[in-house]
Structure formats: structure tokens, C-alpha cells
Amino acid sequence: MMAKSSNDSSFSLSRRYFHFKNKDTNQGGNEDDHQVLTFNHLTPKHKHGIVSISKLRSAIAALGKARSDRVVGTIFGHRRGHVHFSVQQKKGDSKPTFLVELAMPTTALVREMASGAARIALECDRWSKGEMRKKAVLQEEAIWRAYCNGKKYGVAQRFECGAEEWRILRAVGPITVGAGVLPANGDVEEEEDGEVMFMRANFERVVGSRDSEAFYMINPEGVGGPELSIFLLRV
């Protein structure tokens, strides 16, 4: 399945917030692999502080001297569904190393990003000293408290990639950086949920400690865009 063209009427919602342009393909590479994303900047009606800001500040301070690498991040969800965040290694068709579903509606994240910046914090509880699982890998935590730009959005749950998630990730695999809408799969259940909105980009993964790491979306050089940061914190 391929994403619909930006000229298609089904892109009406995406066009409201997203603009596409292609890098100069004379520099080499396939044009489809060089689709980059810019955003309309809208003036927010309200500004929200980050929840648990002292915790985030401490985590960011630790992340400043941390090790980092680059990964491929995909945010997707049905129009009337919830936000999913997938992390893959540089090879975009690899199995996700981290896949989580937030209780946050997809349209709510679109609105937050239209303000110019979205900071998502996922928090889980630190294990007690007597528990052997205190050494568990942070990304393997199953349940998280979710916040975005200071607003609480219930919980987020980590899960293994299933057939439906694989279908979406493979459909957007050829896109290095971009956003758009995938048509419905044709079955009744998905038609009721609506088409799948997605955004795909490179992220810098920064590991501060076994209890903190972050993903920072990397905008292509020379292309303006919103800031998107996702923090994983064990508190």
C-alpha cells in the first residue's frame, strides 16, 4: 500500500498542517527517498507548561552528557484512533525496538504539533531496591503515564508489533522523512476508524541512564519544522 498523493482530496487534513517538498535529486538517490516535511506554524491559543518539569529538567541535564545514536521514528494512528510511536533502527524495515500506544487521540497530537512544539513525557515507577527487575531495560517497561505539553493523556502501553502495525510500517517504509495519510485497508473495522495518519522522521536517541532516555526529531537541514521530543523516564 502506498501513501496517497498530496494532491488527493484525502490529504485535506494533512495539508492543513504539513507541506512537502523534495530535496534536489541531482545529489543522488531516489526522489521518493528524499521527501522532506515542513509545517504550517499556527499561533497557539494557550501555552502549557510541561508536567513534572523538575523531573524533566533533571533528566535533560543528565542527557546532556549521554551517549546517542540515530533511529527511525514513526508516529501513526487512525484519524479517530490513538497515537502510536514506533522506533526502528536505521534500516526502516527492521523490527521495532520500541512500540507504544498512547491514550492520546491522533487529532490531539496534530493540534499540539501545529503550535510549533510537542513534548511527550512517558513516566513509569522506579523499582524498589529489593526487586531484581530494577535492572530491566527502560524500553521494556509495559505501562507508562503519558503527558503532552503539560496535559495528562492517561496511560501508554508497550506492545509487540502485530500484523496491522507491520502493514502500516511497511507501507511507509520507503519514506525517509514525511507525513501523510494511508487509505483504509478495505475491511469494515478500519473503515469505521478512518484512514491512517502518519509522520516519519529520523530521531536522535539519547540515553542518559538506565532510568532516562529521549528521542529528538531531526528536521532536515534548511527545512523549518516543529520540535518533537519524547522522553522516557523511570521516576
Side-chain angles (χ1 to χ4, degrees):
M1 178 184 299
M2 297 299 294
K4 292 185 180 180
S5 166
S6 58
N7 294 324
D8 193 282
S9 60
S10 69
F11 257 77
S12 57
L13 182 62
S14 289
R15 282 204 306 267
R16 184 178 177 183
Y17 302 111
F18 308 136
H19 285 302
F20 295 91
K21 70 176 182 178
N22 293 316
K23 291 184 179 179
D24 186 357
T25 55
N26 292 331
Q27 297 177 0
N30 183 280
E31 182 174 343
D32 290 339
D33 292 333
H34 290 76
Q35 190 176 47
V36 298
L37 170 69
T38 60
F39 291 77
N40 283 331
H41 287 275
L42 304 180
T43 302
K45 294 182 179 179
H46 303 283
K47 292 184 179 180
H48 302 277
I50 293 295
V51 73
S52 305
I53 192 164
S54 61
K55 296 175 184 176
L56 277 178
R57 282 176 175 168
S58 298
I60 292 171
L63 291 167
K65 298 181 180 180
R67 66 184 188 275
S68 66
D69 60 347
R70 289 197 177 187
V71 296
V72 177
T74 308
I75 294 176
F76 62 92
H78 293 284
R79 287 185 189 273
R80 296 190 295 273
H82 293 156
V83 172
H84 295 68
F85 177 58
S86 164
V87 176
Q88 296 168 283
Q89 297 305 313
K90 285 296 288 182
K91 186 178 180 182
D93 59 354
S94 61
K95 180 180 179 181
T97 57
F98 183 64
L99 179 60
V100 64
E101 179 182 6
L102 287 70
M104 182 180 193
T106 305
T107 51
L109 180 59
V110 170
R111 288 195 300 270
E112 294 291 349
M113 294 196 68
S115 71
R119 295 178 177 86
I120 297 173
L122 302 180
E123 295 182 352
C124 63
D125 293 325
R126 190 187 302 271
W127 299 105
S128 65
K129 293 182 179 180
E131 290 181 290
M132 293 298 293
R133 293 184 64 188
K134 66 182 180 180
K135 295 183 178 179
V137 176
L138 185 58
Q139 289 189 22
E140 293 179 355
E141 296 285 357
I143 304 295
W144 309 78
R145 295 179 294 275
Y147 306 87
C148 181
N149 286 358
K151 290 178 281 189
K152 187 172 183 178
Y153 283 97
V155 299
Q157 292 184 296
R158 182 184 182 276
F159 64 100
E160 294 298 321
C161 190
E164 173 63 6
E165 292 74 36
W166 266 124
R167 180 185 72 81
I168 294 170
L169 292 175
R170 285 172 177 150
V172 302
I175 300 173
T176 303
V177 181
V181 178
L182 294 173
N185 195 29
D187 57 55
V188 175
E189 181 178 354
E190 186 169 335
E191 289 287 355
E192 292 176 352
D193 287 339
E195 297 162 321
V196 177
M197 301 179 67
F198 73 88
M199 184 179 70
R200 190 169 172 85
N202 291 314
F203 283 74
E204 182 180 7
R205 173 178 174 253
V206 182
V207 179
S209 69
R210 70 183 183 187
D211 296 323
S212 65
E213 61 182 86
F215 299 91
Y216 300 99
M217 187 175 73
I218 302 171
N219 285 313
E221 186 175 355
V223 179
E227 296 179 8
L228 173 61
S229 304
I230 299 172
F231 299 90
L232 307 184
L233 304 170
R234 188 186 279 136
V235 298

